[in-house]
Amino acid sequence: MCGIVGYIGNRTAYPILVKGLQRLEYRGYDSAGIALLDDEIRVYKCKGKVRDLEQLTKGNNISGNIGIGHTRWATHGLPNDINAHPHKSMNGKFVVVHNGIIENYTHLKNTLKKRGYKFVSETDTEVLANLIESIYLENKLSAENAVRLALTKVIGAYGLVVLCVDEPDKIIGSRKGSPLVVGVGNGEYYLASDATPIVEYTDRMIYLNDEELVVLSAQGLRVTTLDDVQKNPTITHVDINIDNIDKGDFEHFMLKEIYEQPTSIYDTFRGRVDLNTHQINLGGINEVMPRLAKAKRIIIVACGTSYHAGLVGEYLFEEYARMSVEVEYASEFRYRNPIIEPDDVIIAISQSGETADTLAAIRMAKEKGALILGICNVAGSSIPRETHAGIYTHAGPEIGVASTKAFTAQVMALTMMAFVMARKRNKISAEKFEQMVGDLVKIPDAITEMLKEEKNIKKIAEEYKNATNAIYLGRGYLYPVALEGALKLKEISYIHAEGYPAAEMKHGPIALIDNNMPVFVLATKDKYYEKVVNNIQEVKARQGKVIAIVSKGDETIRKMADHVIEVPNVDESLMPLVAVVPLQIISYHIAVMRGCNVDQPRNLAKSVTVE
Ligand code: M6R
C-alpha cells in the first residue's frame, strides 16, 4: 500500500528519498511527502505524485543527512495535502510516516483529545504521532522507549518510521503486519517498504520481523523486540537487477513487463528443469515432498491475479496429479472458519508476498497444523518467511500495478509442481512426464511469437476503446484466463468487464449481449472447442461483437468472429501461459487510448498490506 523510505548517513538525504519514493510509487501514489532533519525538522508534503512533491520543494531548504519519505495510498481521509504523510505531533516533537491501519485509532484519538491534543488531519497516523509524543512528554522517556510503549497500545498493522526533534541523530523504525527493510551501507543506513528503492546503494538487507524495532544512528544499528530484548538480525544479500526497476525504452512498466514474459518464465524454470533430461528439481519443496505427495487435499489461497493463477493450478493438479484441490479467496477463507486437517496442504500464491489477507490465511492454517507452501515473487517478503517451504517465481520486480509477468510465472511454477507431483504419485508415465516437460520449455518461444501480434491487437483495441462493458468467456484451463483478462481490462481502463465460464453465459450474462457488447472468447483447439464455437454462434445471433483468441490456422472461427487473434499451438494445459498475453496487450492499449494511467491506475496499489 503506502511506500516508506528513510536515510541516515553522510550524504544529503533529499535525492535519495525522492528517487526512493519514485521507485516506491507503485505501492501508492495519491500523495507524497518527506521530512528532513538537521537542527530542525522540515516537512514537505502534497497531494499528487512524487513529481508534485519535487515542484513543491523547489527553491526550499532541502539540506539534511537524515530524512524520511512516504508515498500514500489513502485509508483514513481523502488524498489531500493535509492527510499526506509525514505527520507531525501537536508539539512538533515527532514526525511519523506509516503504512498500515491502526484499528483502535478512534479510541486512541478520543483519549488524546481528552488530554488536550488537537488534530489537523483525518489520518490514523497523526494519532500515532500524538500518542508517541504524549507518552514521551508525560513519562519523560527516550524517543525509542516512547515509540516502544506507544506501539504496545496500538491494535492494527504498521510499518512506521519516526524522527524526534530532540534526538536529531537517529531514525526509529518498527513493523507489524506491514513490511520494513533496513539497507546496511558503509556508515549509512536506509529504511524502506521493500528493497527496490535502496538496492542501488546496498545489497545488504535486514528484513524486520513483526514487533521488532530498529534504531539507526551514526553509532550503528540496534534491533530489539518491543519488550526491548536485543535481536541479532540476519543480513540477507539481495540480487535485484537495477535494469528491472527502470522502464528502459518502454513507455510503461506494464508493457515492459508483458514483453519480459519469455525471459521471466524462463527464469522461473531455469535451474529447475534440466533441459537435456527433461527432469524437474524443485529444491524449495524437496524436503516436504513426502508429506505433499500424501496430502488428501490442496487448498490454494490467494487474491486477485494470483487467485486466477491458483485456478489454473486446480486444473493442473487435478488432471495430472489427481489431487483434490480447492482454490479460495484468502479474504474469505481466513474468516470462514474453514475445515483444515493436518494432512491438508495450503499453497499461498502472492507476487508481493505481503498481501495481508493471504498472510492471515496462512497463519490461521498453520495454527491448525497444515503444511504451508508459498509461491511468491519477492524474495525475503513476509509470506515466504512464514511458510514451511516454497517456490520463488524469479519473475523479477513487477512494478506495473496490473500483474502480468507475475501471473505467467506463477502458472509456470504451479505447472512444474503439478508435473512433479503427478510423477511422484505415479499418475503419469515417465514418457508422458518427459513429453510434457519438453512442451513446457518451449513456452518462452511461443510467447515470443505471440508478442509479434501486438500491432494486430492494437488495431482491435482501437475499435473497442470506447466500450463501457465487456465479457470474457473461456472453458477449462481458459476459464481462469477469461477471469484474468476481465480483471486486466477493468483495473487499468475502468471499463466494466466480467469473466465467465463460457457455458454459464446462457444462465444470465447472455441478457447483456447486444451490438455494443465486445465478447472476448478464448476458443483454442482443446476438448471444449466445439462447445465454445456454439457459444460464439449464440453471441453472434444476438449481434454481440466477438473477439476470438484462436489456435493458429483456425478458419472456422475466422468466418464467424468479428476479429481473431491467433495463438501458437501448445498443449491445452499450457495454453493459459500463452493465451493470456493477447488479453494483457489489448487491455494495455485500450487503457493507453483512453488516457488512463496504466502503471498507476486509480484507487489501486501494488501491494495490498491492509485487509
Ligand atoms: O501480491 P499479490 O499477488 O498477493 O497481490 C494480489 C492482488 O492484489 C493482485 O494480483 C491484484 O489483483 C493486481 N492488481 C492484479 O493485476
Side-chain angles (χ1 to χ4, degrees):
M1 313 253 64
C2 306
I4 289 177
V5 64
Y7 174 76
I8 179 166
N10 298 320
R11 290 192 267 171
T12 307
Y14 178 82
I16 296 168
L17 298 181
V18 167
K19 199 166 183 197
L21 290 181
Q22 281 159 348
R23 292 226 195 279
L24 284 174
E25 236 178 351
Y26 72 92
R27 296 179 68 92
Y29 33 78
D30 60 45
S31 47
I34 50 168
L36 300 166
L37 175 67
D38 39 26
D39 39 4
E40 57 172 354
I41 299 182
R42 273 164 278 114
V43 172
Y44 303 104
K45 57 180 188 167
C46 61
K47 179 179 176 201
K49 310 275 184 201
V50 178
R51 61 173 177 267
D52 299 306
L53 176 68
E54 283 184 280
Q55 282 302 321
L56 178 75
T57 52
K58 266 201 179 125
N60 283 301
N61 181 355
I62 49 163
S63 64
N65 308 123
I66 301 179
I68 58 178
H70 188 268
T71 175
R72 180 172 186 245
W73 185 85
T75 59
H76 295 63
L78 288 175
N80 59 30
D81 294 355
I82 293 174
N83 290 330
H85 298 213
H87 287 281
K88 261 192 182 182
S89 57
M90 189 177 79
N91 299 300
K93 295 283 181 198
F94 288 88
V95 171
V96 176
V97 293
H98 162 230
N99 171 25
I101 290 183
I102 306 303
E103 287 168 15
N104 59 339
Y105 92 107
T106 314
H107 165 74
L108 294 171
K109 191 169 185 173
N110 290 337
T111 314
L112 287 162
K113 274 182 177 168
K114 282 186 197 140
R115 292 197 206 146
Y117 269 89
K118 298 216 166 21
F119 293 82
V120 290
S121 79
E122 299 156 89
T123 64
D124 50 349
T125 306
E126 192 188 8
V127 175
L128 210 47
N130 282 334
L131 178 68
I132 295 169
E133 185 184 88
S134 73
I135 289 173
Y136 173 77
L137 292 176
E138 281 166 30
N139 300 287
K140 304 206 178 346
L141 295 175
S142 65
E144 176 185 337
N145 283 336
V147 172
R148 191 171 270 127
L149 189 53
L151 292 180
T152 62
K153 300 186 187 305
V154 158
I155 299 172
Y158 54 80
L160 92 160
V161 182
V162 180
L163 297 178
C164 176
V165 73
D166 295 338
E167 299 180 25
D169 59 344
K170 62 179 66 126
I171 298 183
I172 301 164
S174 185
R175 73 157 273 177
K176 184 182 173 192
S178 296
L180 205 57
V181 184
V182 179
V184 183
N186 262 338
E188 57 186 0
Y189 296 104
Y190 305 81
L191 263 172
S193 302
D194 63 47
T196 49
I198 50 184
V199 75
E200 67 185 276
Y201 310 110
T202 178
D203 66 348
R204 300 193 303 146
M205 306 288 165
I206 295 170
Y207 291 91
L208 290 185
N209 293 311
D210 275 353
E211 301 194 333
E212 282 182 353
L213 182 137
V214 64
V215 179
L216 305 173
S217 70
Q219 282 70 52
L221 156 156
R222 206 167 78 89
V223 178
T224 52
T225 63
L226 288 189
D227 306 331
D228 204 8
V229 176
Q230 182 94 18
K231 297 292 289 273
N232 273 333
T234 313
I235 296 186
T236 308
H237 289 262
V238 297
D239 178 21
I240 298 176
N241 181 351
I242 287 286
D243 292 344
N244 282 345
I245 45 182
D246 279 328
K247 266 193 291 218
D249 293 335
F250 286 89
E251 206 182 325
H252 296 99
F253 278 109
M254 182 179 175
L255 190 62
K256 176 176 179 254
E257 287 156 7
I258 289 172
Y259 269 86
E260 277 172 355
Q261 290 177 108
T263 313
S264 55
I265 63 165
Y266 172 71
D267 286 342
T268 308
F269 68 71
R270 184 165 55 102
R272 290 165 169 155
V273 174
D274 185 320
L275 297 177
N276 298 316
T277 62
H278 287 174
Q279 295 306 305
I280 300 179
N281 178 18
L282 298 174
I285 58 170
N286 273 348
E287 271 188 23
V288 297
M289 195 54 90
R291 191 164 161 197
L292 180 55
K294 277 196 222 116
K296 286 246 166 60
R297 186 173 58 149
I298 291 176
I299 305 172
I300 297 178
V301 291
C303 304
T305 288
S306 300
Y307 171 82
H308 298 154
L311 289 175
V312 178
E314 178 176 23
Y315 285 88
L316 287 162
F317 274 96
E318 287 188 354
E319 175 168 354
Y320 290 104
R322 304 300 299 143
M323 293 177 92
S324 161
V325 181
E326 286 171 24
V327 189
E328 302 267 2
Y329 283 117
S331 53
E332 287 298 309
F333 181 74
R334 62 181 286 198
Y335 286 115
R336 221 187 47 225
N337 193 14
I339 296 157
I340 302 170
E341 309 287 352
D343 48 9
D344 285 337
V345 172
I346 310 291
I347 304 179
I349 307 178
S350 174
Q351 186 286 128
S352 61
E354 299 292 352
T355 300
D357 285 318
T358 312
L359 195 52
I362 62 170
R363 283 179 182 155
M364 184 259 280
K366 204 175 186 180
E367 268 174 28
K368 298 192 182 202
L371 174 69
I372 316 289
L373 307 183
I375 294 180
C376 294
N377 193 36
V378 178
S381 56
S382 301
I383 294 173
R385 288 190 297 138
E386 298 207 19
T387 48
H388 296 117
I391 301 177
Y392 277 122
T393 49
H394 298 312
E398 190 181 64
I399 311 290
V401 164
S403 203
T404 52
K405 64 174 180 172
F407 174 79
T408 42
Q410 289 164 346
V411 172
M412 180 52 85
L414 286 160
T415 309
M416 288 189 292
M417 219 172 148
F419 290 176
V420 168
M421 294 311 300
R423 207 46 217 117
K424 193 102 209 145
R425 289 163 59 85
N426 240 336
K427 301 294 178 191
I428 57 172
S429 66
E431 292 71 36
K432 173 78 179 164
F433 177 83
E434 273 189 44
Q435 176 226 314
M436 289 308 297
V437 177
D439 289 351
L440 181 147
V441 298
K442 291 188 197 130
I443 293 296
D445 290 343
I447 296 182
T448 303
E449 198 183 328
M450 187 70 254
L451 289 167
K452 292 187 187 140
E453 288 298 303
E454 189 196 346
K455 260 198 192 146
N456 168 32
I457 298 171
K458 192 172 173 184
K459 278 192 208 138
I460 301 173
E462 187 67 49
E463 280 199 39
Y464 297 100
K465 65 175 189 239
N466 295 320
T468 46
N469 297 286
I471 292 178
Y472 286 72
L473 302 176
R475 288 195 75 163
Y477 284 102
L478 295 180
Y479 158 55
V481 178
L483 296 180
E484 177 58 9
L487 176 61
K488 285 294 85 84
L489 186 70
K490 74 181 105 174
E491 70 179 332
I492 60 169
S493 73
Y494 319 138
I495 295 173
H496 171 236
E498 298 292 340
Y500 286 97
E504 271 296 302
M505 182 178 66
K506 56 190 168 300
H507 298 287
I510 199 165
L512 295 168
I513 294 174
D514 61 15
N515 60 357
N516 283 320
M517 178 66 86
V519 184
F520 293 84
V521 189
L522 292 141
T524 53
K525 291 223 165 114
D526 56 22
K527 64 170 174 270
Y528 303 101
Y529 177 74
E530 302 298 339
K531 295 177 196 306
V532 178
V533 168
N534 290 339
N535 295 137
I536 293 177
Q537 307 266 28
E538 287 156 11
V539 174
K540 285 316 299 171
R542 286 150 187 92
Q543 296 180 332
K545 300 281 184 276
V546 171
I547 305 103
I549 318 301
V550 301
S551 300
K552 215 172 195 76
D554 185 325
E555 290 307 322
T556 312
I557 295 181
R558 189 174 286 278
K559 289 188 195 118
M560 327 172 176
D562 297 83
H563 310 273
V564 293
I565 302 171
E566 289 192 341
V567 297
N569 291 308
V570 301
D571 186 89
E572 67 176 84
S573 58
L574 302 174
M575 190 52 94
L577 292 159
V578 185
V580 74
V581 176
L583 302 185
Q584 297 168 343
I585 296 175
I586 203 156
S587 302
Y588 169 78
H589 281 298
I590 289 178
V592 171
M593 287 167 191
R594 288 165 73 94
C596 300
N597 186 339
V598 174
D599 285 335
Q600 298 174 348
R602 71 183 180 206
N603 306 336
L604 288 175
K606 183 73 184 161
S607 178
V608 185
T609 53
V610 295
E611 63 167 298

